Amino acid sequence: MNSKESCRSELRIAIRQLSDRCLYTASKWAAEQLIGIEQDPANFTPSNTRFQWGSSSIRRRFRTNEITSTPIAGVSYVSTPVMEEDDAVDGDFYLLAKSYFDCREYRRAAHVLRDQTGKKSVFLRCYALYLAGEKRKEEEVIELEGPLGKTDSVNRELVSLERELSTLRKNGSIDPFGLYLYGLVLKEKGSENVARTVLVESVNSYPWNWNAWSELQSLCTTIDTLNSLNLNNHWMKDFFLASAYQEIRMHSESLAKYEYLQGTFGYSNYIQAQIAKAQYSLREFQQVETIFEELLRNDPYRVEDMDMYSNVLYANECSSALSYLAHRVFMTDKYRPESCCIIGNYYSLKGQHEKSVMYFRRALKLNKNYLSAWTLMGHEYIEMKNTPAAVDAYRRAIDINQCDYRAWYGLGQAYEMMGMPFYALHYFRKSVFLQPNDSRLWISMAHCYETDQLRMLEEAIKCYRRAANCNDREAIALHQLAKLHYELGRPEEAAFYYKKDLERMEAEEREGPNMVEALLYLATYYKTQKRFEEAEVYCTRLLDFTGPEKETAKSLLRGMRTTQSGFPSMDVEHFSP
């Protein structure tokens, strides 16, 4: 069996097993990867389509023999046995409980299985109790503080679940799904180290449960923690590492992993979306836009990840494309957090910030832990000059994910607006630590150093240099470096940066006040250095502009002729940017 056929066989069985345990998110993920596997050319016929649903039908009977995880691209993988099912032990009760579970009657489902001892039934009973506790916790939040409020409400089932699952693990009578749930409970209770250990046991025993991998990823916030995990070498580990690298900001490594996985999962929309996320973090907006356009062509009713596409369209000020996307998701599913954020971005681009906030709040009512909505709402409050509300929104985002550099950056902006540069500097430092390759963050921190309260110009210069080395798309850093060096009495350094800024403007075919300023300074500087030929070149270019700079250029040319006749030269300090 070749590698692709092996992956197909494993995923088909996994989809049935995951669905049977009501782990529908993991089942959906597995099904998307199944469809994403490239067709074998030997079996391909013109009637086959990319989404050949017939080829992905799930077998009704489980195989009890071992399936070997054959390698992708020739790498050796550990074999993982397919789980044996215990349908016969408590089949009828399980079917009834599953029906109640699917109707969101969690306590009723748990009650039906109270006397059942099969591993599958024990898992579903415990999982139903866990979700019943989560449901009650959400109800208490709404009753006490409203849908966006903060409370100390907890899942009251966690203590009893931890006790039962711990006992089952010690007795060796727990399956990988029970281990996943036990890890989830431990994580909720704050026992992160034990939770990691238990989740590693779960994914090593049953690697196809993407929910378990996702929970494990949330507990790996550093590369050291990630490297300490003792994981079996299954192809699912590559999906996990690619996703984990992205979360810890190792975007190049993440891209390399996903490109490797594309060798087998060449049609996976999930992988395409993750590649777009990594490119987005690297600010390769053109490539991100191309990927999302392709995704929408292949999956026109997709809403997942489309809020990131809307961020790109917003950044590029593509009003018509953003309007079309907003209409599309509104017609598909308007009560999804992603849809609300896309519509919020649309109104923000139109300058209707109050309406934008309304949609971001709607997204948070649907999912109060939706990180992007908190951050984007903070941005809107900044635009509305409502800094207290912005600070609160950004802090809520940080409570959800302390690695969200956009929220730290937003806090810096808010405190800078309030005239508190020391606080702003603290938050800007946090943001550049998390996203050191974003020039905008370094530029904001440099502006903070330049404020009247700080006037730490040498530190500002260091920040602008970092920004210039991080592909400063807004072309701010070089110009500011030139001005700061001039202000500090360093004419040679100022000339160096003005020249680099001028070269960039010429390459990008941009004109404006910055070009005039650079030409004027360089003309004056080279005249002072008695390099008259170079000075004349810049003066001649200034003659093409209309305004006072044209007269200044004429005066400089006259001055050079006078200087060459033996009169004193004009000093560079007469230049004023």
Side-chain angles (χ1 to χ4, degrees):
M1 185 184 296
N2 64 36
S3 60
K4 293 175 184 177
E5 282 304 316
S6 174
C7 292
R8 280 195 193 95
S9 299
E10 292 179 39
L11 285 169
R12 285 168 182 161
I13 295 171
I15 291 163
R16 175 66 180 272
Q17 291 174 327
L18 292 163
S19 296
D20 208 29
R21 287 166 176 80
C22 303
L23 295 171
Y24 297 119
T25 303
S27 176
K28 182 185 82 168
W29 186 92
E32 287 176 347
Q33 305 326 306
L34 174 63
I35 296 302
I37 297 174
E38 288 184 299
Q39 296 292 326
D40 187 343
N43 299 328
F44 184 80
T45 65
S47 62
N48 293 128
T49 62
R50 175 177 175 181
F51 297 102
Q52 187 186 7
W53 298 109
S55 66
S56 64
S57 59
I58 302 166
R59 291 185 177 89
R60 301 229 173 242
R61 295 183 181 179
F62 294 109
R63 285 191 280 177
T64 57
N65 62 303
E66 184 180 272
I67 290 180
T68 302
S69 300
T70 43
I72 298 172
V75 179
S76 177
Y77 283 89
V78 173
S79 61
T80 305
V82 175
M83 291 177 53
E84 293 186 6
E85 296 292 349
D86 54 4
D87 287 336
V89 177
D90 25 57
D92 293 342
F93 287 101
Y94 189 86
L95 290 174
L96 177 59
K98 187 175 182 300
S99 299
Y100 287 149
F101 187 101
D102 291 344
C103 294
R104 295 173 56 86
E105 298 182 63
Y106 301 125
R107 294 198 183 278
R108 204 174 178 191
H111 179 74
V112 168
L113 297 172
R114 65 193 182 281
D115 297 324
Q116 307 306 311
T117 58
K119 292 179 181 178
K120 198 163 75 168
S121 293
V122 169
F123 166 75
L124 189 61
R125 176 173 55 79
C126 292
Y127 190 38
L129 287 171
Y130 171 79
L131 290 181
E134 287 293 299
K135 185 179 178 183
R136 182 58 194 146
K137 182 177 78 173
E138 291 298 320
E139 290 168 351
E140 287 178 358
V141 169
I142 294 172
E143 289 164 4
L144 296 173
E145 297 290 339
L148 304 185
K150 286 184 177 180
T151 68
D152 297 325
S153 298
V154 295
N155 186 334
R156 296 177 184 175
E157 302 294 335
L158 294 180
V159 175
S160 60
L161 284 172
E162 182 186 14
R163 190 184 306 119
E164 179 177 357
L165 292 168
S166 175
T167 303
L168 290 171
R169 181 174 175 240
K170 287 175 184 175
N171 296 339
S173 54
I174 192 170
D175 68 358
F177 298 101
L179 287 170
Y180 154 66
L181 182 58
Y182 184 32
L184 188 57
V185 169
L186 289 168
K187 179 193 164 190
E188 290 286 325
K189 292 197 70 181
S191 304
E192 294 190 355
N193 291 331
V194 185
R196 265 194 298 270
T197 303
V198 171
L199 287 167
V200 167
E201 289 179 29
S202 175
V203 297
N204 281 342
S205 302
Y206 187 86
W208 303 282
N209 181 6
W210 183 245
N211 287 4
W213 289 108
S214 299
E215 294 300 332
L216 181 59
Q217 178 192 297
S218 69
L219 296 170
C220 299
T221 55
T222 66
I223 186 62
D224 292 333
T225 305
L226 194 61
N227 289 336
S228 69
L229 301 178
N230 184 22
L231 297 169
N232 289 344
N233 199 24
H234 189 272
W235 54 264
M236 282 291 292
K237 178 183 173 183
D238 291 320
F239 277 100
F240 166 71
L241 289 176
S243 182
Y245 286 151
Q246 197 158 293
E247 287 301 310
I248 58 177
R249 302 169 302 283
M250 294 172 61
H251 303 301
S252 298
E253 291 81 354
S254 177
L255 276 173
K257 277 286 181 189
Y258 281 124
E259 287 167 3
Y260 167 70
L261 284 164
Q262 278 188 315
T264 294
F265 300 91
Y267 292 144
S268 170
N269 286 343
Y270 168 80
I271 291 178
Q272 284 290 92
Q274 297 308 305
I275 288 174
K277 284 184 181 180
Q279 297 282 15
Y280 178 81
S281 298
L282 295 170
R283 294 183 61 74
E284 300 291 343
F285 290 162
Q286 189 61 48
Q287 295 182 42
V288 175
E289 196 170 341
T290 302
I291 291 171
F292 276 117
E293 287 171 358
E294 176 68 18
L295 275 175
L296 277 177
R297 278 194 292 271
N298 295 328
D299 191 0
Y301 299 103
R302 183 186 183 94
V303 176
E304 187 178 0
D305 303 315
M306 286 298 118
D307 53 333
M308 181 178 294
Y309 181 33
S310 78
N311 291 342
V312 173
L313 296 175
Y314 181 92
N316 292 337
E317 298 184 1
C318 300
S319 179
S320 58
L322 184 53
S323 172
Y324 175 71
L325 179 64
H327 177 75
R328 193 168 188 162
V329 296
F330 181 86
M331 298 304 293
T332 300
D333 190 350
K334 66 179 179 179
Y335 291 117
R336 280 274 292 272
E338 296 94 331
S339 300
C340 295
C341 282
I342 292 167
I343 297 168
N345 272 340
Y346 166 70
Y347 282 116
S348 177
L349 189 59
K350 290 183 69 178
Q352 299 182 25
H353 301 297
E354 293 83 0
K355 223 169 185 181
S356 179
V357 166
M358 180 184 77
Y359 275 96
F360 291 136
R361 290 182 69 84
R362 183 176 293 178
L364 291 165
K365 287 179 181 178
L366 295 166
N367 179 2
K368 72 171 186 176
N369 291 323
Y370 198 67
L371 178 65
S372 183
W374 283 114
T375 307
L376 292 171
M377 189 163 71
H379 295 345
E380 292 307 299
Y381 282 130
I382 289 287
E383 292 291 332
M384 295 163 66
K385 303 295 187 290
N386 187 348
T387 48
V391 167
D392 180 64
Y394 290 134
R395 291 197 184 281
R396 293 291 293 273
I398 290 166
D399 288 342
I400 297 167
N401 183 1
Q402 293 199 349
C403 294
D404 181 21
Y405 77 92
R406 298 170 304 168
W408 291 110
Y409 173 65
L411 280 173
Q413 283 187 307
Y415 279 100
E416 191 174 27
M417 285 176 64
M418 291 188 284
M420 303 167 73
F422 287 99
Y423 284 94
L425 199 56
H426 168 73
Y427 295 119
F428 284 139
R429 283 173 177 161
K430 286 271 193 181
S431 67
V432 296
F433 172 76
L434 293 168
Q435 188 75 358
N437 296 321
D438 194 328
S439 62
R440 299 169 303 167
L441 310 185
W442 289 107
I443 288 169
S444 294
M445 191 155 72
H447 286 161
C448 202
Y449 279 123
E450 288 182 271
T451 56
D452 292 335
Q453 293 103 312
L454 298 181
R455 296 302 294 171
M456 299 169 68
L457 300 186
E458 292 294 344
E459 295 300 318
I461 285 173
K462 291 177 185 176
C463 292
Y464 283 128
R465 281 177 181 158
R466 288 294 300 267
N469 293 330
C470 293
N471 191 17
D472 173 24
R473 295 173 185 272
E474 287 78 18
I476 295 171
L478 290 174
H479 184 73
Q480 291 299 117
L481 280 167
K483 291 181 73 171
L484 283 177
H485 280 296
Y486 172 79
E487 190 175 338
L488 293 169
R490 300 169 185 166
E492 289 183 13
E493 289 88 345
F496 172 79
Y497 285 110
Y498 271 124
K499 194 168 185 179
K500 286 192 73 172
D501 191 31
L502 185 61
E503 288 169 355
R504 176 165 180 168
M505 286 186 279
E506 289 169 347
E508 296 175 358
E509 298 181 349
R510 287 188 293 110
E511 291 186 358
N514 288 0
M515 178 172 277
V516 171
E517 187 178 316
L519 289 169
L520 189 56
Y521 180 87
L522 291 169
T524 308
Y525 172 75
Y526 285 122
K527 175 179 177 292
T528 305
Q529 298 296 312
K530 295 185 168 45
R531 294 162 65 175
F532 297 122
E533 288 185 9
E534 292 169 84
E536 283 184 16
V537 169
Y538 294 114
C539 284
T540 304
R541 290 185 61 181
L542 280 167
L543 294 175
D544 294 332
F545 291 87
T546 57
E549 59 271 9
K550 185 173 182 178
E551 296 304 317
T552 305
K554 289 179 180 177
S555 176
L556 284 170
L557 287 168
R558 285 194 297 268
M560 280 188 280
R561 296 191 188 101
T562 304
T563 301
Q564 288 171 321
S565 302
F567 289 90
S569 63
M570 179 179 165
D571 195 10
V572 75
E573 276 73 14
H574 292 143
F575 169 80
S576 178

